[in-house]
Amino acid sequence: MAKKPGTLEEKDKEYIWHPFTQMREWVSETPVIIEKGSGSYLTDTGHKQYIDGTSSIWVNIHGHRKRAIDKAITDQLKKIAHSTLLGLSNIPSILLAEKLIRLAQGGGLTSLSKIFYSDNGSTAVEVGLKMAFHYWQLKGGRYNKKTRFLTLMNAYHGDTVGSVSLGGIDLFHKIYRPLLFESLRAPAPYCYRCPVNRMYPDCHLACIEKAEEILKERHKEIAAMIVEPIVQAAAGMIVAPPGYLRRIRELCTRYNVLLIADEVATGFGRTGLMFACEHEGVSPDIMPIAKGITGGYLPLAATLVTREIYDAFLGEYREFKTFFHGHSYTGNPLGCAAAIANIEIFEKEGTLEKLQSKIALLESLLSPLKEHPHIGEVRQKGLIAGIEMVREKDKKTPYRLEEKAGIRTCLEARKMGLMLRPIGNVIILMPPLSISKTDLKKMVAITGKAIDRVAGRR
Ligand SMILES: *Cc1c(COP(=O)(O)O)cnc(C)c1O
């Protein structure tokens, strides 16, 4: 019999299959094993500290070991860890629902008035798309033909089969095509590599014309359009030009197509306002939220919808208009308690007010990187930034994926005490909103050095 693995590293390599990871590579390298965290820092089992530059994959908001969230969870633990929302209710899920609706409506997302809980971003999107589809079926008549979805190129809405059907990142999604339902696709507002070869603002948002054409011609068969509002996150933090989201909302209204705004990545202050939709005064019909909802503590998600959609499902039991969907951990009390504490910290500490000067600082820190010979574009919205590395700046030639420019840059940053994870050639900076200005400066300085080491300064 083979020798049993002894160290943590050996056990990891023996038993775990890591997400989005080439495991042959993983087992040939030394993994970083995180033991603890505090504020914006992670500490590994070798006592090395790192700035958590991507908020533990875009979830952390107020830092690690935030006392008020720790306490909210332990207090709830003394009552009950979990009970179900299927046929029952529980206290934290009720109080959180009220808070979330107030939060959305307070930000001008006035049409959202009901909450459906689940436990991750993919399921929150899945719920939204099933509701949109089901809604039109319940409306009946000619609306029964509204069964399709319009989505944007480069979109990412999660990893379940339904949410992958809405996705547009070939590297992740192409292989599954035979399993998926077919979505209609419109160009993304990717200004740096403009899909219609124009320049903002002279383009007058020409990239929307294709979406408009599809809506105009096929709205009778389209249930909903889904977008990542303002920032297409997994596409490499592609920031939509001002006015884009607003136009999409207008078109969806005009053609009687529901708008799903996937705020899973952008929600909870990441873009400088509580929800990205607020930047353009847009109120979606369906809004999935997850990642930051618990401040990065526990898996919880919600899909916010309008009363109009909710009402369509009302009827006598025997009509079977029920939304037959639910997960075992729906409305988990510990997660909801953490989420309530998360939102209360925003209120008590003025998180969003304090954030504004950090956003300005990040902008000024990133500015010199724009001149770098191997940086094609620096994109930023709020405390989210994407730095697109290119092999040839003048021609915008990307590095080939095999060159691993992004991965190697992040490994260099890691040596210098900054934990990052790239998306292809794009270096993502997405620290907790609570990061100090000192650490923000440190983060950008290390990032610049890491890029120099990999790409050279010439
Ligand atoms: C991360 C993400 C999802 C999926 O969320 P999971 O919790 O990872 O399932 C969906 N939509 C967007 C925009 C995301 O960034």
Side-chain angles (χ1 to χ4, degrees), residues 48-67:
K48 185 170 165 68
Q49 291 204 319
Y50 312 85
I51 296 177
D52 188 357
T54 53
S55 298
S56 296
I57 298 297
W58 318 352
V59 299
N60 194 281
I61 300 286
H62 304 292
H64 298 280
R65 297 302 316 276
K66 182 74 183 173
R67 195 165 296 145

Side-chain angles (χ1 to χ4, degrees), residues 67-345:
R67 195 165 296 145
I69 306 181
D70 288 2
K71 186 172 182 309
I73 294 172
T74 51
D75 286 352
Q76 179 57 36
L77 205 44
K78 289 174 197 149
K79 296 176 187 146
I80 189 168
H82 184 65
S83 66
T84 182
L85 286 195
L86 278 69
L88 296 175
S89 202
N90 68 61
I91 298 169
S93 71
I94 297 170
L95 298 178
L96 175 61
E98 180 189 31
K99 265 198 167 344
L100 286 172
I101 293 298
R102 289 223 173 123
L103 203 59
Q105 295 192 344
L109 286 58
T110 48
S111 53
L112 298 172
S113 53
K114 299 285 172 182
I115 296 232
F116 192 96
Y117 285 113
S118 62
D119 44 32
N120 65 73
S122 307
T123 55
V125 168
E126 202 84 25
V127 164
L129 82 90
K130 282 175 75 179
M131 279 177 175
F133 177 92
H134 199 156
Y135 167 75
W136 294 112
Q137 295 305 305
L138 291 168
K139 297 270 278 188
R142 65 194 158 99
Y143 295 123
N144 282 172
K145 293 210 184 73
K146 287 170 87 70
T147 57
R148 312 194 61 163
F149 291 84
L150 175 57
T151 172
L152 296 178
M153 314 272 190
N154 310 317
Y156 177 82
H157 296 291
D159 290 336
T160 56
V161 168
S163 56
V164 166
S165 298
L166 303 172
I169 301 182
D170 275 351
L171 177 65
F172 305 164
H173 300 149
K174 201 169 154 195
I175 182 85
Y176 301 111
R177 285 280 173 249
L179 275 184
L180 311 176
F181 61 79
E182 206 179 319
S183 297
L184 302 166
R185 276 160 220 287
Y190 188 3
C191 293
Y192 177 60
R193 299 180 189 279
C194 176
V196 291
N197 276 314
R198 299 281 294 276
M199 278 270 262
Y200 183 84
D202 296 339
C203 64
H204 300 291
L205 301 174
C207 60
I208 284 189
E209 283 167 18
K210 183 74 194 161
E212 178 162 14
E213 205 181 291
I214 295 172
L215 285 167
K216 191 172 169 187
E217 282 169 15
R218 308 186 69 170
H219 62 94
K220 286 185 183 140
E221 45 177 309
I222 301 175
M225 176 168 187
I226 183 164
V227 296
E228 293 164 82
I230 313 283
V231 184
Q232 278 197 306
M237 303 305 163
I238 294 170
V239 180
Y244 181 86
L245 181 63
R246 178 117 224 119
R247 276 291 302 284
I248 291 289
R249 171 71 273 185
E250 285 163 9
L251 289 173
C252 287
T253 303
R254 184 186 315 155
Y255 292 108
N256 201 20
V257 161
L258 297 173
L259 176 63
I260 307 177
D262 176 355
E263 290 258 11
V264 170
T266 48
F268 297 93
R270 232 26 112 173
T271 66
L273 295 175
M274 190 55 81
F275 298 109
C277 283
E278 295 175 27
H279 288 285
E280 306 213 338
V282 160
S283 190
D285 301 293
I286 298 177
M287 186 171 92
I289 53 176
K291 291 197 169 95
I293 190 173
T294 59
Y297 267 65
L298 287 163
L300 182 78
T303 308
L304 281 65
V305 297
T306 60
R307 179 174 295 278
E308 160 87 19
I309 293 173
Y310 170 88
D311 282 349
F313 288 76
L314 300 179
E316 296 302 322
Y317 179 79
R318 60 185 150 72
E319 294 178 82
F320 301 119
K321 288 182 169 182
T322 306
F323 186 53
F324 290 109
H325 185 115
H327 299 281
S328 313
Y329 284 96
T330 290
N332 173 258
L334 288 178
C336 291
I340 292 168
N342 173 39
I343 296 166
E344 281 173 355
I345 295 167

